[in-house]
Amino acid sequence: MGTTDWRVPLFKIYWDSDDVDSVREAVEAGRDWAIGPNVERFERQLAEYVGAPHALSFNSGTSALHALMIAHGIGPGDEVIVPSFTFISTANAPLFVGARPVFADIEEQTRGLDPSDVRSRITDSTKVVMPVHYGGCPCRIEELRQVADEHGLLLVEDAAESLGATLEGRHTGTFGDTGMYSLCGPKVITSGEGGAVVTASRDIFEHLRLIRSHGRREATSYFDTPDRQEYVEVGYNFRMSNITAALAVTQLQKIEKMISMRREKAGIYDARLAGIEGLRTGSEPAGSRHVYQMYTVEVTDGGDVRDRLASHLNSEGIMTKNYFEPVHRTVLFKEKLAYDTDLPVTEAVSSRVLTLPMYPGLSEGEIDFICSKVRDFFGVDA
């Protein structure tokens, strides 16, 4: 089924005239399409929103993770503990710098790294613990912070899916030494592609500025000065463009509205799917604010039953997806990199999960339609 043929797609982007006007203004300025004022505006507003001293934008979350590995001095011989229950860029980031990702298991409530299993994976080569806040739900980040501190390790948060999520009022992404957010299509806010890093460290912030722009020391925009600017280390072109940042600015301005809409949809799902034997909806841990970047259910019998439910919904024009297949079982890690890792909880959870459509504009009627098809599959009356 083509991307435009779904009766209910997995996600739709929420946008309004402010987004259109902001991009139009950036284009019609006739200059500053690459480097411009919207970039700094977005970074300033993001830092203020999450309560971080520094924020820096990137052209993707993956680029941001790559830059973080470099900025933290991670390289050959180092180990970075990551979940396998994640998008593959989490595990690829250490590989980008010649380090080794070490997979740890997850716990079932938040589907984030299990602090006790992380402890068991620490070696003399471990330098970083990099947890993921799955689907917009804060993981057990305070416990992971404690584990990292006890062992003198860096804590780098992959908060790609959780911008706006909080634990005891504190934003995900700000518990670690650094945190990364993604702004690609299905995320809580989106600029099409994009990412950002937040940190309390001025040194890391300044180093990231070099890495994302060719290792060039800049007192002002490269395109606005005739003066020579020095290149002081190997760097990359990881910058977010001013046009992209125009979208990021206006999207961020309505993030609380979009989170409220997502949480409302999740509540409707929870109510409509309650009481179905063989199906389990998610939960919001005490003290957490889940932003529901994804809405994921678990089919308790897993495996074939989950796959048949997915096929049933897909045949009705409802897109679903298994977020996530374990990274350690991909061809890259299992065959080419010869990983042989025992992650029983990860594999069990991955066999049961199914992500249903979730986006701010999802209507109650669409949710009713989806849930009616789920109930049909399980033989439950509406």
Side-chain angles (χ1 to χ4, degrees):
M1 187 172 290
T3 56
T4 61
D5 297 330
W6 296 104
R7 178 168 176 175
V8 189
L10 197 63
F11 75 94
K12 290 181 182 178
I13 292 170
Y14 184 87
W15 61 273
D16 59 22
S17 60
D18 289 341
D19 298 312
V20 176
D21 291 344
S22 184
V23 173
R24 180 184 295 113
E25 288 172 9
V27 171
E28 291 180 347
R31 54 169 296 156
D32 297 331
W33 283 18
I35 301 171
N38 285 313
V39 175
E40 291 186 3
R41 186 175 298 125
F42 168 65
E43 292 169 346
R44 183 173 62 252
Q45 292 176 0
L46 177 63
E48 181 179 354
Y49 175 70
V50 302
H54 308 290
L56 202 68
S57 60
F58 286 83
N59 58 13
S60 74
T62 302
S63 296
L65 286 181
H66 187 174
L68 281 173
M69 294 294 98
I70 300 169
H72 283 302
I74 307 305
D78 295 333
E79 294 179 349
V80 179
I81 296 178
V82 299
S84 175
F85 191 65
T86 182
F87 185 64
I88 199 167
S89 62
T90 311
N92 279 348
L95 296 178
F96 295 157
V97 294
R100 177 177 172 80
V102 173
F103 295 110
D105 217 344
I106 60 173
E107 42 80 21
E108 296 202 38
Q109 183 183 22
T110 72
R111 307 183 184 118
L113 280 177
D114 182 341
S116 63
D117 197 65
V118 168
R119 276 195 175 91
S120 74
R121 311 278 176 168
I122 294 172
T123 71
D124 290 342
S125 297
T126 306
K127 295 295 187 294
V128 180
V129 177
M130 188 155 62
V132 170
H133 302 283
Y134 174 81
C137 180
C139 69
R140 289 162 58 179
I141 191 64
E142 292 176 314
E143 295 171 67
L144 292 166
R145 173 80 269 181
Q146 184 177 356
V147 171
D149 289 345
E150 287 173 359
H151 293 270
L153 305 176
L154 292 164
L155 184 67
V156 175
E157 290 179 75
D158 183 336
E161 301 162 12
S162 68
L163 179 57
T166 61
L167 178 62
E168 303 297 344
R170 183 175 176 181
H171 281 264
T172 58
T174 67
F175 290 84
D177 297 276
T178 47
M180 180 277 289
Y181 305 112
S182 171
L183 279 71
C184 80
K187 297 304 190 290
V188 178
I189 67 170
T190 180
S191 52
E193 284 286 2
V197 167
V198 292
T199 183
S201 169
R202 183 74 188 184
D203 288 343
I204 292 294
F205 171 73
E206 293 295 347
H207 196 180
L208 288 168
R209 289 183 66 192
L210 289 174
I211 294 164
R212 75 168 181 181
S213 195
H214 304 284
R216 183 172 58 228
R217 185 177 288 135
E218 298 174 327
T220 187
S221 167
Y222 176 80
F223 299 111
D224 286 337
T225 178
D227 297 335
R228 179 177 180 272
Q229 294 178 320
E230 188 59 78
Y231 295 85
V232 298
E233 66 173 82
V234 174
Y236 300 80
N237 186 355
F238 284 164
R239 297 188 307 266
M240 175 184 283
S241 78
N242 192 54
I243 296 174
T244 302
L247 271 176
V249 167
T250 51
Q251 285 273 300
L252 184 59
Q253 288 170 351
K254 48 184 169 275
I255 187 171
E256 286 299 315
K257 176 182 179 180
M258 290 192 280
I259 289 172
S260 178
M261 294 169 77
R262 286 178 176 273
R263 288 176 57 81
E264 178 188 8
K265 313 308 177 188
I268 298 171
Y269 263 131
D270 288 346
R272 301 291 194 273
L273 296 175
I276 299 177
E277 186 175 350
L279 189 77
R280 184 164 58 230
T281 57
S283 62
E284 185 175 56
S288 295
R289 181 172 79 154
H290 195 323
V291 295
Y292 294 98
Q293 188 266 321
M294 298 188 290
Y295 184 85
T296 299
V297 297
E298 290 192 28
V299 179
T300 54
D301 286 339
D304 179 62
V305 180
R306 188 275 310 274
D307 293 344
R308 286 192 288 111
L309 173 60
S311 295
H312 171 71
L313 295 176
N314 294 166
S315 71
E316 295 286 349
I318 301 164
M319 185 178 174
T320 65
K321 204 168 181 73
N322 176 12
Y323 283 122
F324 290 101
E325 299 283 356
V327 173
H328 74 283
R329 293 175 61 181
T330 60
V331 169
L332 171 62
F333 280 91
K334 188 172 182 177
E335 298 182 17
K336 293 190 175 181
L337 299 177
Y339 271 67
D340 183 15
T341 308
D342 184 30
L343 301 172
V345 180
T346 294
E347 295 190 12
V349 169
S350 181
S351 74
R352 299 193 300 257
V353 292
L354 188 66
T355 296
L356 303 179
M358 169 57 77
Y359 45 91
L362 187 66
S363 71
E364 186 168 355
E366 287 171 324
I367 297 175
D368 284 341
F369 172 68
I370 295 164
C371 293
S372 71
K373 297 306 177 182
V374 173
R375 299 179 79 87
D376 286 347
F377 176 84
F378 285 101
V380 178
D381 293 334

